[in-house]
Amino acid sequence: MEVVMVPGKGPTFPEPLKEVEDLLKLRQKVDVSEELGYVFQAITLTRHSLEGKVPLIGFSGAPWTLMSYMIEGGGSNTMAKAKRWLYRHPEASHRLLQLLQDVIVEYLVGQVAAGAQALQLFESHAGHLGPEQFREFALPSIRAIAKRVKNKLQAEALPLVPMIVFAKDAHYALEELAQAGYEVIGLDWTIQPQAARERTGHRVTLQGNLDPCALYAPKEKIGELVKRMLEGFGTQRYIANLGHGLYPDMSPEHVGAFVEAVHTHSRHLRTPD
Amino acid sequence: MEVVMVPGKGPTFPEPLKEVEDLLKLRQKVDVSEELGYVFQAITLTRHSLEGKVPLIGFSGAPWTLMSYMIEGGGSNTMAKAKRWLYRHPEASHRLLQLLQDVIVEYLVGQVAAGAQALQLFESHAGHLGPEQFREFALPSIRAIAKRVKNKLQAEALPLVPMIVFAKDAHYALEELAQAGYEVIGLDWTIQPQAARERTGHRVTLQGNLDPCALYAPKEKIGELVKRMLEGFGTQRYIANLGHGLYPDMSPEHVGAFVEAVHTHSRHLRTPD
């Protein structure tokens, strides 16, 4: 399928999937290294330029999120067209999700081969599903991807890199995500740090979760919010981060204030006076 | 402020609030019965035409949701402009929320005077807030509206109608919503019925929460989903409903299947063989 990046709009499919029959038009077998080799080259180049200063994270959208783009043609407030497939055509939906899963596994492993030192799987549209649909149409692929990627990394004698899963707004599935085979769970800002710890256990690392819009706040306020977040998560098994991506109008200076506050407060938390 | 209903797009403000100074352009005192008298007339007409066959529910958007429309100018995926106000201009935000609260109280009481037999408050954009922002910018108005409306109904010797609050995606605030002064909590479909009961206690009625997209399913499937939902909530202190509004392309026949399934299964649950 053709996909174009429309400025101010994001990824757009000019000809989205409309009918179940459109699935037949999709290639059932994709040569990932041929189609996405340029991504792998970019990763290798970037890894070299970084010279070991910061780690390089590879990533992919998860099957349900990619499926929803392929059917909606782009963003949507309700994902009603894609969810219509889940309700009306569960078998075709599973077929599509499986095709995507196969490609994603190759894609993630290829990124590690090219130099990625961690992998993040984004199920950005999880929040549109309820607990039952998530369990039926998202969680199985999320689990399978962790397992298959790790098996393949091992089989190909590649480094067993840590894997992060971020299922935005899937508050109802935290417990299941903590047992899905990932070392790290990314959290959006609607989850309270302490509650997340209790619900996920101490064997999984948590990542997140400042509201990205907090970067609009004055710098002192950002500092306060970061402090509260770090106190909530604690400094162990934790990766400080935002709860979602930045928006184009955010000031790099305020992003800097966020990073600085993380360093200051975590240092203080680890060596209190 | 001028607001227009744009087909396929929803409520739109051609000149949204941009700067804090724009607040001064708003009328600080609104004569609700003069401005919205036509709504009250429509309610009275509808109430008469219904002839007591079904109850008539009045409603309003809640302050944060209305504020977000006034700043965004319409729908938004992130509500980033409105949230920017909360983070940068907390005092001005509270002023705007207070202005809205005053108007909403008059508006809801006016609806009861005109014949509404229950009232629902929609905080449709609650999910964009995290727990802290919800507690600071949404919950206080939600609480105050219940209290003020009830006091005013009593003072004006109007019927003390039941009040429903629906804060979409505010999964993090169920406990607080259950104690906010409303008889009924509306739930979206990301909340599991049993979990909602446990978290809200048995003194509040629950309303919801089938995923509206379930109406795209074949009728038998709708029946199954309704059955599971009713079993989860039980037949006491419960109002069967969808977890959000219908979409324009949904078939009235499938809505009928939903209603029928509610009747069939609840009858069965109440008098099992």
Side-chain angles (χ1 to χ4, degrees):
Chain A
M1 287 176 79
E2 191 197 358
V3 55
V4 285
M5 281 304 287
V6 180
K9 206 178 149 196
T12 304
F13 290 80
E15 291 182 61
L17 299 175
K18 288 213 171 83
E19 308 295 335
V20 169
E21 293 72 45
D22 294 344
L23 283 186
L24 299 173
K25 295 188 213 153
L26 297 177
R27 263 181 293 160
Q28 305 297 303
K29 189 77 199 139
V30 179
D31 185 332
V32 174
S33 64
E34 194 180 304
E35 299 290 337
L36 294 166
Y38 66 94
V39 177
F40 302 148
Q41 286 168 25
I43 287 175
T44 306
L45 271 172
T46 310
R47 172 78 189 266
H48 286 151
S49 323
L50 285 174
E51 296 177 327
K53 283 174 201 149
V54 284
L56 182 62
I57 306 187
F59 69 92
S60 173
W64 152 247
T65 295
L66 297 184
M67 170 182 170
S68 66
Y69 275 114
M70 289 166 82
I71 295 173
E72 299 286 340
S76 154
N77 274 326
T78 59
M79 302 291 157
K81 286 180 200 157
K83 287 176 70 181
R84 190 187 171 112
W85 273 54
L86 301 185
Y87 280 113
R88 288 185 79 88
H89 314 299
E91 282 175 33
S93 298
H94 279 298
R95 207 155 66 234
L96 176 54
L97 292 165
Q98 184 68 50
L99 285 176
L100 288 164
Q101 186 194 119
D102 294 343
V103 174
I104 290 165
V105 169
E106 299 281 330
Y107 183 48
L108 289 173
V109 171
Q111 292 185 54
V112 176
Q117 293 157 291
L119 293 172
Q120 180 155 355
L121 187 72
F122 285 91
E123 191 70 288
S124 309
H125 299 168
H128 292 278
L129 305 175
E132 283 79 23
Q133 283 203 319
F134 184 81
R135 238 165 257 150
E136 181 173 354
F137 296 105
L139 192 59
S141 307
I142 288 173
R143 280 199 188 119
I145 286 169
K147 195 165 183 179
R148 291 178 63 190
V149 166
K150 284 173 183 188
N151 286 345
K152 213 163 150 62
L153 290 176
Q154 201 152 29
E156 301 184 10
L158 287 165
L160 266 176
V161 302
M163 293 181 72
I164 309 166
V165 61
F166 177 65
K168 185 160 180 288
D169 292 319
H171 58 89
Y172 49 76
L174 272 191
E175 289 83 355
E176 286 153 318
L177 287 168
Q179 313 211 348
Y182 294 77
E183 283 70 32
V184 185
I185 314 282
L187 299 170
D188 64 73
W189 66 94
T190 68
I191 308 280
Q192 280 162 303
Q194 293 88 341
R197 274 286 182 229
E198 282 165 30
R199 292 177 57 194
T200 56
H202 284 262
R203 287 206 311 229
V204 74
T205 295
L206 298 178
Q207 171 175 286
N209 72 342
L210 194 74
D211 179 2
C213 290
L215 298 187
Y216 293 127
K219 290 185 197 168
E220 320 77 67
K221 175 84 183 164
I222 294 176
E224 278 170 44
L225 293 168
V226 165
K227 182 165 179 280
R228 210 181 307 157
M229 173 176 82
L230 296 186
E231 287 167 354
F233 283 110
T235 58
Q236 300 306 304
R237 302 225 68 157
Y238 174 57
I239 299 168
N241 204 337
L242 299 174
H244 200 219
L246 295 171
Y247 305 138
D249 66 346
M250 283 172 168
S251 118
E253 237 189 88
H254 284 223
V255 180
F258 168 76
V259 174
E260 206 179 304
V262 169
H263 289 163
T264 309
H265 293 297
S266 62
R267 207 179 295 122
H268 186 74
L269 278 172
R270 294 173 68 179
T271 54
D273 19 54
Chain B
M1 288 177 79
E2 190 197 357
V3 55
V4 285
M5 282 302 289
V6 180
K9 204 177 152 197
T12 303
F13 290 81
E15 292 182 60
L17 300 175
K18 289 213 170 83
E19 309 294 336
V20 170
E21 294 70 46
D22 294 344
L23 282 186
L24 298 173
K25 295 188 212 153
L26 296 178
R27 264 179 291 161
Q28 306 296 303
K29 188 78 201 137
V30 179
D31 185 333
V32 174
S33 64
E34 194 180 305
E35 300 289 339
L36 294 165
Y38 65 95
V39 177
F40 302 148
Q41 286 168 24
I43 287 175
T44 306
L45 271 172
T46 310
R47 172 79 190 266
H48 285 151
S49 323
L50 285 174
E51 295 177 330
K53 282 175 203 148
V54 282
L56 182 61
I57 306 186
F59 69 93
S60 173
W64 152 247
T65 295
L66 298 184
M67 169 180 171
S68 67
Y69 274 115
M70 290 165 81
I71 296 174
E72 298 287 340
S76 155
N77 273 327
T78 60
M79 302 291 157
K81 287 180 198 155
K83 287 176 70 181
R84 189 186 172 112
W85 273 53
L86 301 185
Y87 280 112
R88 287 186 80 88
H89 314 299
E91 282 175 35
S93 298
H94 278 298
R95 207 155 68 235
L96 176 53
L97 292 165
Q98 184 67 51
L99 286 175
L100 288 164
Q101 186 194 119
D102 293 345
V103 173
I104 290 165
V105 169
E106 299 280 331
Y107 183 47
L108 289 173
V109 170
Q111 292 186 53
V112 175
Q117 292 156 292
L119 293 172
Q120 180 155 355
L121 188 71
F122 285 91
E123 191 70 287
S124 309
H125 299 168
H128 293 277
L129 306 175
E132 283 78 23
Q133 285 205 318
F134 183 80
R135 238 165 255 150
E136 181 174 354
F137 296 105
L139 192 59
S141 307
I142 289 173
R143 280 199 188 118
I145 287 169
K147 197 167 181 176
R148 292 178 64 190
V149 165
K150 285 174 183 186
N151 287 345
K152 213 163 150 62
L153 290 176
Q154 201 151 30
E156 300 185 10
L158 287 164
L160 266 175
V161 302
M163 293 182 72
I164 310 166
V165 61
F166 176 66
K168 185 158 180 289
D169 292 319
H171 57 89
Y172 49 76
L174 272 191
E175 289 82 357
E176 286 153 319
L177 287 167
Q179 312 211 348
Y182 293 77
E183 284 69 31
V184 185
I185 314 281
L187 299 169
D188 64 72
W189 65 96
T190 69
I191 309 278
Q192 280 161 307
Q194 293 89 342
R197 274 288 182 227
E198 280 164 31
R199 292 177 56 194
T200 56
H202 283 261
R203 288 206 312 230
V204 74
T205 295
L206 298 178
Q207 171 176 287
N209 70 342
L210 195 73
D211 179 1
C213 290
L215 297 187
Y216 292 129
K219 291 184 197 167
E220 319 78 65
K221 175 84 181 164
I222 294 176
E224 277 170 44
L225 293 168
V226 166
K227 182 165 180 281
R228 211 179 307 156
M229 172 176 81
L230 297 185
E231 286 167 354
F233 282 110
T235 59
Q236 301 304 303
R237 302 225 67 159
Y238 174 57
I239 299 168
N241 203 337
L242 299 173
H244 200 219
L246 295 172
Y247 305 137
D249 66 347
M250 283 172 168
S251 118
E253 237 189 86
H254 284 224
V255 181
F258 168 75
V259 175
E260 206 178 303
V262 169
H263 289 163
T264 308
H265 294 297
S266 62
R267 207 179 296 121
H268 185 74
L269 279 172
R270 295 171 68 180
T271 55
D273 20 53

mmCIF file of all heavy atoms in Angstrom, chain B residues 182-198:
data_model
loop_
_atom_site.group_PDB
_atom_site.id
_atom_site.type_symbol
_atom_site.label_atom_id
_atom_site.label_comp_id
_atom_site.label_asym_id
_atom_site.label_seq_id
_atom_site.Cartn_x
_atom_site.Cartn_y
_atom_site.Cartn_z
ATOM 1 N N TYR B 182 -23.438 13.060 42.369
ATOM 2 C CA TYR B 182 -24.332 12.597 41.295
ATOM 3 C C TYR B 182 -24.928 11.240 41.668
ATOM 4 O O TYR B 182 -24.262 10.419 42.311
ATOM 5 C CB TYR B 182 -23.560 12.488 39.970
ATOM 6 C CG TYR B 182 -23.119 13.852 39.476
ATOM 7 C CD1 TYR B 182 -22.021 14.495 40.054
ATOM 8 C CD2 TYR B 182 -23.833 14.528 38.496
ATOM 9 C CE1 TYR B 182 -21.636 15.767 39.655
ATOM 10 C CE2 TYR B 182 -23.455 15.796 38.085
ATOM 11 C CZ TYR B 182 -22.361 16.413 38.674
ATOM 12 O OH TYR B 182 -21.999 17.665 38.277
ATOM 13 N N GLU B 183 -26.168 11.021 41.219
ATOM 14 C CA GLU B 183 -26.813 9.741 41.492
ATOM 15 C C GLU B 183 -26.279 8.661 40.558
ATOM 16 O O GLU B 183 -26.332 7.465 40.871
ATOM 17 C CB GLU B 183 -28.336 9.865 41.292
ATOM 18 C CG GLU B 183 -29.057 10.576 42.429
ATOM 19 C CD GLU B 183 -28.730 12.069 42.504
ATOM 20 O OE1 GLU B 183 -28.469 12.684 41.451
ATOM 21 O OE2 GLU B 183 -28.714 12.612 43.628
ATOM 22 N N VAL B 184 -25.811 9.093 39.369
ATOM 23 C CA VAL B 184 -25.421 8.124 38.333
ATOM 24 C C VAL B 184 -24.063 8.496 37.740
ATOM 25 O O VAL B 184 -23.777 9.665 37.498
ATOM 26 C CB VAL B 184 -26.472 8.098 37.187
ATOM 27 C CG1 VAL B 184 -26.139 6.997 36.176
ATOM 28 C CG2 VAL B 184 -27.884 7.932 37.728
ATOM 29 N N ILE B 185 -23.224 7.472 37.507
ATOM 30 C CA ILE B 185 -21.953 7.670 36.806
ATOM 31 C C ILE B 185 -22.066 6.986 35.452
ATOM 32 O O ILE B 185 -22.311 5.774 35.381
ATOM 33 C CB ILE B 185 -20.779 6.972 37.535
ATOM 34 C CG1 ILE B 185 -20.816 7.234 39.017
ATOM 35 C CG2 ILE B 185 -19.442 7.360 36.909
ATOM 36 C CD1 ILE B 185 -20.295 8.563 39.409
ATOM 37 N N GLY B 186 -21.854 7.735 34.391
ATOM 38 C CA GLY B 186 -21.801 7.144 33.052
ATOM 39 C C GLY B 186 -20.394 6.624 32.798
ATOM 40 O O GLY B 186 -19.419 7.249 33.209
ATOM 41 N N LEU B 187 -20.290 5.473 32.136
ATOM 42 C CA LEU B 187 -18.981 4.844 31.917
ATOM 43 C C LEU B 187 -18.720 4.627 30.433
ATOM 44 O O LEU B 187 -19.621 4.224 29.688
ATOM 45 C CB LEU B 187 -18.941 3.476 32.603
ATOM 46 C CG LEU B 187 -19.141 3.462 34.120
ATOM 47 C CD1 LEU B 187 -19.345 2.026 34.599
ATOM 48 C CD2 LEU B 187 -17.962 4.103 34.834
ATOM 49 N N ASP B 188 -17.473 4.871 30.008
ATOM 50 C CA ASP B 188 -17.110 4.499 28.643
ATOM 51 C C ASP B 188 -16.738 3.013 28.606
ATOM 52 O O ASP B 188 -16.656 2.365 29.641
ATOM 53 C CB ASP B 188 -15.971 5.391 28.141
ATOM 54 C CG ASP B 188 -14.706 5.200 28.936
ATOM 55 O OD1 ASP B 188 -14.067 4.143 28.785
ATOM 56 O OD2 ASP B 188 -14.352 6.094 29.732
ATOM 57 N N TRP B 189 -16.485 2.500 27.419
ATOM 58 C CA TRP B 189 -16.338 1.049 27.252
ATOM 59 C C TRP B 189 -14.953 0.509 27.607
ATOM 60 O O TRP B 189 -14.692 -0.674 27.450
ATOM 61 C CB TRP B 189 -16.681 0.648 25.815
ATOM 62 C CG TRP B 189 -15.723 1.219 24.814
ATOM 63 C CD1 TRP B 189 -14.632 0.592 24.283
ATOM 64 C CD2 TRP B 189 -15.762 2.515 24.242
ATOM 65 N NE1 TRP B 189 -13.982 1.429 23.417
ATOM 66 C CE2 TRP B 189 -14.664 2.620 23.365
ATOM 67 C CE3 TRP B 189 -16.614 3.630 24.356
ATOM 68 C CZ2 TRP B 189 -14.395 3.776 22.629
ATOM 69 C CZ3 TRP B 189 -16.332 4.770 23.619
ATOM 70 C CH2 TRP B 189 -15.247 4.832 22.786
ATOM 71 N N THR B 190 -14.059 1.391 28.087
ATOM 72 C CA THR B 190 -12.750 0.870 28.482
ATOM 73 C C THR B 190 -12.749 0.422 29.947
ATOM 74 O O THR B 190 -11.742 -0.057 30.449
ATOM 75 C CB THR B 190 -11.623 1.912 28.278
ATOM 76 O OG1 THR B 190 -11.790 2.973 29.220
ATOM 77 C CG2 THR B 190 -11.630 2.477 26.866
ATOM 78 N N ILE B 191 -13.891 0.610 30.613
ATOM 79 C CA ILE B 191 -14.011 0.221 32.017
ATOM 80 C C ILE B 191 -14.757 -1.102 32.121
ATOM 81 O O ILE B 191 -15.843 -1.237 31.553
ATOM 82 C CB ILE B 191 -14.815 1.281 32.808
ATOM 83 C CG1 ILE B 191 -14.258 2.684 32.573
ATOM 84 C CG2 ILE B 191 -14.890 0.925 34.278
ATOM 85 C CD1 ILE B 191 -13.074 3.041 33.394
ATOM 86 N N GLN B 192 -14.199 -2.056 32.834
ATOM 87 C CA GLN B 192 -14.906 -3.326 33.004
ATOM 88 C C GLN B 192 -15.991 -3.204 34.061
ATOM 89 O O GLN B 192 -15.755 -2.641 35.136
ATOM 90 C CB GLN B 192 -13.912 -4.425 33.373
ATOM 91 C CG GLN B 192 -13.205 -4.932 32.116
ATOM 92 C CD GLN B 192 -11.928 -5.659 32.440
ATOM 93 O OE1 GLN B 192 -11.073 -5.107 33.142
ATOM 94 N NE2 GLN B 192 -11.797 -6.862 31.944
ATOM 95 N N PRO B 193 -17.194 -3.725 33.753
ATOM 96 C CA PRO B 193 -18.336 -3.561 34.656
ATOM 97 C C PRO B 193 -18.023 -3.923 36.111
ATOM 98 O O PRO B 193 -18.283 -3.122 37.012
ATOM 99 C CB PRO B 193 -19.387 -4.507 34.065
ATOM 100 C CG PRO B 193 -19.049 -4.594 32.610
ATOM 101 C CD PRO B 193 -17.567 -4.455 32.513
ATOM 102 N N GLN B 194 -17.456 -5.107 36.330
ATOM 103 C CA GLN B 194 -17.203 -5.530 37.720
ATOM 104 C C GLN B 194 -16.229 -4.580 38.416
ATOM 105 O O GLN B 194 -16.425 -4.230 39.582
ATOM 106 C CB GLN B 194 -16.643 -6.956 37.771
ATOM 107 C CG GLN B 194 -17.616 -8.040 37.324
ATOM 108 C CD GLN B 194 -17.528 -8.283 35.813
ATOM 109 O OE1 GLN B 194 -17.017 -7.452 35.060
ATOM 110 N NE2 GLN B 194 -18.050 -9.418 35.375
ATOM 111 N N ALA B 195 -15.192 -4.172 37.694
ATOM 112 C CA ALA B 195 -14.207 -3.262 38.283
ATOM 113 C C ALA B 195 -14.877 -1.936 38.646
ATOM 114 O O ALA B 195 -14.612 -1.351 39.701
ATOM 115 C CB ALA B 195 -13.055 -3.027 37.307
ATOM 116 N N ALA B 196 -15.767 -1.462 37.777
ATOM 117 C CA ALA B 196 -16.466 -0.202 38.047
ATOM 118 C C ALA B 196 -17.293 -0.312 39.325
ATOM 119 O O ALA B 196 -17.297 0.593 40.159
ATOM 120 C CB ALA B 196 -17.348 0.174 36.868
ATOM 121 N N ARG B 197 -17.996 -1.441 39.492
ATOM 122 C CA ARG B 197 -18.796 -1.645 40.713
ATOM 123 C C ARG B 197 -17.925 -1.602 41.951
ATOM 124 O O ARG B 197 -18.250 -0.953 42.939
ATOM 125 C CB ARG B 197 -19.485 -3.007 40.684
ATOM 126 C CG ARG B 197 -20.793 -3.056 40.003
ATOM 127 C CD ARG B 197 -21.900 -2.360 40.783
ATOM 128 N NE ARG B 197 -23.135 -2.535 40.020
ATOM 129 C CZ ARG B 197 -23.987 -1.571 39.743
ATOM 130 N NH1 ARG B 197 -23.791 -0.343 40.199
ATOM 131 N NH2 ARG B 197 -25.052 -1.802 39.040
ATOM 132 N N GLU B 198 -16.804 -2.315 41.885
ATOM 133 C CA GLU B 198 -15.936 -2.357 43.049
ATOM 134 C C GLU B 198 -15.401 -0.972 43.398
ATOM 135 O O GLU B 198 -15.310 -0.607 44.551
ATOM 136 C CB GLU B 198 -14.749 -3.291 42.793
ATOM 137 C CG GLU B 198 -15.110 -4.756 42.963
ATOM 138 C CD GLU B 198 -14.075 -5.675 42.331
ATOM 139 O OE1 GLU B 198 -12.879 -5.287 42.309
ATOM 140 O OE2 GLU B 198 -14.466 -6.759 41.840
#
